[in-house]
Amino acid sequence: MKRWELKGASFALMKDDRLIYSKGYGYADEEAGIPMDVMHVFRIASVSKLITAVAIMKLQEENKLHLSDHVFGPEGILNDSLFLDIKDKRSKDITVEQLLRHQGGYTQAYGDPMFCPLTIAKKMDVTPPADLNTMIRFVLSRRLQYTPGKSSAYSNIGYGILSKVIEKVSGEDYETYVRKHILLPAGCFDMHLGKNLYEDKLPNEVKYYEAPNAEQILACDGSGKYVYRSNGGNNIEDLYGAGGWVASPSELLRFLAAIDNDPAIPDILSPASVEYMTRHVEEGLPIGWMNTNSRGEWMRSGTLAGTSAMMKRQPDGYSWVFLTNTSCWKGARFPSYINRAVAQAMTTVEEWPDRDLFEMQDLTNEKLLVIH
């Protein structure tokens, strides 16, 4: 934490679906003197994509969609009039699986639409910030950068589109479907979509800190004020399944335990779906995950202004999550440094506790449900 000038961080470790270690470090809110606790939740940035991908796979298992389904056009899932003004006819060929694997034809060559709420609002003649529907309409009004399925380029808007696919085929709003059919069955009770402003944060959500030299930008709400990206600059509320979730490390591990083909905790997906998500493919990324390999390592990272997240499943049965509430000047490369630091630290531990902290969490969740 000293090396990377982190205000606060939280770490959790799981072995064979048993939570054996969970600890907070530093401050959740330095100015208020609130120390970091294991129950504090953070923006998890692109780790959100894994949640969205699991929801899509669940809908396929429920026969509500197929990965080969087209997304746009009169015969597509999103065939609403709102999305029928399509400039590039190749957009009608985009499939659900291509979006899952970042093969939809979108790039960030001219900026990331999900982080240009003011520019897109102006181009589309709407009141800022541009919402997700407007962002999708915007990309449909432009030409694709490559033919869908013929290349691969990391795409936030692709997972934003998938959020709308989930809403259309399920008949529920994105957050409701995911919480009801994915998170609660997985045993996750404190994961939510985040808000833009510090004043609107969840009761146990951390405060976010940027680098000392961070520049302020125009607020996404069009007020004309200059603010930090982590507090009104980025439109977190319209990231949805691309990067909008907040969670604690232990809750993320509980989620992972429900999609890992380990029988200790029942999975919410079939073994076939889990295997398909983690299968390596040429010219594309794994489904939901950032990287998987033949050794059984699965990794998912995410970065936003004010936060960094890293989740890893190891072939030796250990899985871990690291979250911080502070930007690092390494940007998107920072999780790779955390990966190496955790690997080195784990080699120094001779014996791990023989316990399962998930059992304590389950008792707490049962009490909360009774109260509710």
Side-chain angles (χ1 to χ4, degrees):
M1 291 181 65
K2 289 180 180 178
R3 178 182 181 185
W4 301 108
E5 299 180 14
L6 306 179
K7 299 290 187 181
S10 190
F11 178 78
L13 179 74
M14 179 172 72
K15 175 68 165 71
D16 299 327
D17 281 3
R18 292 182 300 111
L19 182 65
I20 60 176
Y21 185 84
S22 183
K23 186 173 176 61
Y25 304 86
Y27 287 97
D29 186 330
E30 186 178 44
E31 290 74 16
I34 302 173
M36 188 69 72
D37 184 82
V38 296
M39 300 303 290
H40 278 110
V41 295
F42 302 66
R43 293 172 181 165
I44 60 173
S46 284
V47 177
S48 302
K49 293 181 174 66
L50 181 59
I51 299 170
T52 301
V54 169
I56 290 289
M57 298 302 291
K58 187 67 174 179
L59 287 165
Q60 177 174 249
E61 291 185 0
E62 296 171 347
N63 291 318
K64 293 182 178 178
L65 60 71
H66 296 92
L67 299 191
S68 58
D69 287 345
H70 290 112
V71 177
F72 297 113
E75 306 303 320
I77 295 173
L78 298 181
N79 58 2
D80 313 71
S81 59
L82 187 66
F83 303 123
L84 289 181
D85 186 9
I86 300 172
K87 180 173 184 177
D88 192 329
K89 65 180 182 180
R90 295 177 297 174
S91 293
K92 299 177 184 179
D93 297 327
I94 297 172
T95 67
V96 172
E97 183 161 1
Q98 287 168 351
L99 293 180
L100 285 168
R101 297 192 185 278
H102 301 270
Q103 296 178 310
Y106 307 113
T107 72
Q108 299 182 23
Y110 302 103
D112 188 332
M114 302 289 275
F115 292 92
C116 299
L118 293 178
T119 301
I120 291 179
K122 183 176 181 180
K123 289 182 179 294
M124 300 302 290
D125 193 25
V126 300
T127 302
D131 63 11
L132 181 54
N133 284 337
T134 302
M135 293 178 199
I136 296 172
R137 288 174 49 228
F138 172 77
V139 297
L140 288 174
S141 72
R142 300 297 192 270
R143 287 189 58 80
L144 296 174
Q145 297 299 306
Y146 62 88
T147 300
K150 298 299 183 182
S151 186
S152 178
Y154 194 80
S155 170
N156 285 308
I157 191 64
Y159 271 75
I161 294 169
L162 288 170
S163 302
K164 290 299 177 180
V165 167
I166 291 169
E167 292 188 338
K168 182 65 179 291
V169 301
S170 71
E172 300 177 274
D173 71 78
Y174 170 78
E175 185 175 16
T176 297
Y177 177 82
V178 172
R179 285 180 54 79
K180 185 189 302 183
H181 299 275
I182 304 299
L183 298 178
L184 294 182
C188 302
F189 293 84
D190 197 18
M191 294 172 67
H192 315 268
L193 289 181
K195 300 295 184 180
N196 290 343
L197 301 176
Y198 173 76
E199 62 192 51
D200 297 324
K201 72 181 182 68
L202 295 164
N204 59 332
E205 187 175 358
V206 299
K207 183 177 181 179
Y208 301 101
Y209 298 88
E210 299 184 34
N213 62 346
E215 296 181 352
Q216 293 186 334
I217 63 171
L218 284 170
C220 71
D221 63 4
S223 64
K225 297 179 181 178
Y226 278 86
V227 298
Y228 288 107
R229 286 177 171 84
S230 62
N231 189 29
N234 288 337
N235 189 13
I236 304 297
E237 294 170 21
D238 275 283
L239 289 181
Y240 283 84
W245 286 95
V246 299
S248 67
S250 59
E251 287 259 289
L252 280 174
L253 285 180
R254 186 59 183 256
F255 171 67
L256 175 56
I259 57 168
D260 65 354
N261 275 350
D262 187 316
I265 290 180
D267 282 357
I268 58 175
L269 292 179
S270 69
S273 291
V274 174
E275 189 278 329
Y276 196 75
M277 288 182 66
T278 56
R279 183 186 304 172
H280 175 74
V281 296
E282 297 297 331
E283 298 297 330
L285 292 171
I287 292 178
W289 294 94
M290 192 68 187
N291 184 281
T292 61
N293 60 39
S294 59
R295 299 189 302 274
E297 288 183 337
W298 308 344
M299 289 181 283
R300 178 69 257 185
S301 61
T303 55
L304 277 171
T307 191
S308 184
M310 178 69 184
M311 170 191 279
K312 184 176 183 180
R313 174 191 182 269
Q314 301 179 175
D316 58 5
Y318 289 99
S319 299
W320 54 267
V321 171
F322 174 90
L323 302 176
T324 178
N325 64 347
T326 313
S327 291
C328 175
W329 59 85
K330 291 292 184 182
R333 294 176 295 167
F334 182 51
S336 65
Y337 289 86
I338 295 301
N339 183 34
R340 288 197 292 268
V342 171
Q344 181 179 359
M346 288 180 67
T347 63
T348 68
V349 181
E350 297 180 356
E351 184 177 3
W352 294 100
D354 183 18
R355 63 188 179 193
D356 186 1
L357 299 177
F358 281 145
E359 294 179 353
M360 298 173 59
Q361 286 188 354
D362 288 342
L363 291 174
T364 300
N365 289 332
E366 288 178 8
K367 292 178 181 178
L368 290 174
L369 286 173
V370 170
I371 294 172
H372 181 70

